[in-house]
Amino acid sequence: MTKGYRVMNEPDGVLFRIGEPERVQFFREGRLATRAEVDHSIATGIDNLDRMAKREGAKAVDELEKCKQQFTALLDQLLPAQAAL
């Protein structure tokens, strides 16, 4: 959840600039998702974003990498991965 966002019309569609999160929740099949489920969901969808960024050029790739790092830090803070046994 966020208190703000901005919609930007781009030549290829619409881009949403989402504000800083106030709260983050992940769900799967009507229940809160585990960290492993969240990681799997991200891993199976990130390739599409990577391809789009590469088509747009180095600036988009750099911005996406920055966003990935910020998201990973937020995820680690909110939903730490289970330590290996």
Side-chain angles (χ1 to χ4, degrees):
M1 297 182 81
T2 183
K3 288 186 178 179
Y5 66 92
R6 196 170 91 210
V7 179
M8 297 174 286
N9 291 312
E10 297 291 327
D12 294 334
V14 177
L15 181 64
F16 292 88
R17 179 65 66 174
I18 300 171
E20 291 298 315
E22 297 287 322
R23 185 174 78 192
V24 178
Q25 291 180 299
F26 302 93
F27 291 89
R28 178 170 181 190
E29 298 173 351
R31 61 168 170 75
L32 289 173
T34 66
R35 172 62 189 259
E37 290 168 336
V38 172
D39 288 342
H40 176 68
S41 179
I42 292 166
T44 58
I46 200 69
D47 288 345
N48 291 330
L49 289 175
D50 286 331
R51 280 192 294 277
M52 289 169 52
K54 286 176 185 172
R55 281 195 305 263
E56 292 181 25
K59 183 177 177 183
V61 171
D62 290 345
E63 182 66 22
L64 179 57
E65 288 304 315
K66 180 178 153 186
C67 289
K68 286 184 198 178
Q69 290 172 4
Q70 290 172 334
F71 181 74
T72 298
L74 177 66
L75 190 57
D76 287 343
Q77 181 182 21
L78 297 174
L79 190 61
Q82 295 293 323
L85 299 176

